[in-house]
Amino acid sequence: MRILVIHGPNLNLLGKREPEIYGTLSLNDINQALETLGAEFGCSLRFFQSNNEGLLVDEIQQAPENYDAILINPAAYTHTSIALRDSLSAIGLPFVEVHLSNIHRREEFRHHSYLAPLALGQISGFGLDSYLLGLRALFNYIKN
Ligand code: CA2
């Protein structure tokens, strides 16, 4: 089973800025924890981070050639990107949306997600555990 993990804009800064909101782990720490859990499930993972909306769309469009499902933290594009939503809709792969922070207890503009209505589910507010729970949910969904 192959899972594509996508991290949206500014997540490359994790661990370097705003630790009170996003914690002290780096993106690399998150990827390593996912890799370890993925190995327990027998999943191979690829990690992709970009600050560029078009590159994220390109990656999503190509995903069906190589992957069974997507775990995505779309970051700020969650709240703005019809392009990401359209690409996920077009490919039709199952995906789970995750957020480190609880977007529903933050500013109002973060409460809406363009992607969530297409997702298997959304996990928000648990830091690293949001990703690990999301990976587990995705694996359990696609293994059946
Ligand atoms: O909580 C999340 O995971 C978010 O997707 C993070 C996004 C934010 O726009 C969403 O509303 C919720 C922002 C990611 C920015 O990451 C940074 C990390 C360290 C320092 C600055 C930004």
Side-chain angles (χ1 to χ4, degrees):
M1 213 169 285
R2 303 151 307 165
I3 294 179
L4 175 62
V5 180
I6 296 181
H7 305 285
N10 295 309
L11 288 167
N12 55 311
L13 296 177
L14 279 177
K16 297 176 190 146
R17 303 264 157 78
E18 301 190 85
E20 64 287 355
I21 302 177
Y22 299 115
T24 53
L25 294 180
S26 69
L27 194 59
N28 197 36
D29 294 332
I30 290 175
N31 288 345
Q32 280 184 12
L34 285 168
E35 185 86 49
T36 301
L37 185 63
E40 275 177 39
F41 297 153
C43 286
S44 70
L45 271 52
R46 167 175 148 80
F47 303 99
F48 182 76
Q49 189 278 328
S50 180
N51 297 322
N52 182 312
E53 188 174 16
L55 293 179
L56 293 165
V57 168
D58 287 343
E59 188 70 20
I60 290 167
Q61 283 188 10
Q62 290 159 24
E65 292 165 28
N66 295 305
Y67 303 100
D68 303 301
I70 297 175
L71 183 67
I72 183 167
N73 182 347
Y77 290 142
T78 307
H79 321 297
T80 63
S81 182
I82 297 170
L84 282 190
R85 178 195 171 115
D86 285 349
S87 57
L88 286 161
S89 175
I91 64 164
L93 284 185
F95 75 94
V96 171
E97 175 182 325
V98 299
H99 298 283
L100 293 158
S101 61
N102 180 348
I103 58 174
H104 299 288
R105 68 190 289 186
R106 299 185 63 192
E107 303 94 325
E108 185 123 16
F109 65 84
R110 296 187 202 275
H111 296 181
H112 176 259
S113 166
Y114 278 103
L115 278 52
L118 303 180
L120 295 176
Q122 182 196 67
I123 301 170
S124 176
F126 297 102
L128 169 63
D129 279 339
S130 292
Y131 281 91
L132 298 177
L133 291 165
L135 180 61
R136 183 178 293 275
L138 206 46
F139 172 73
N140 284 340
Y141 179 86
I142 53 181
K143 77 172 184 214
N144 295 317

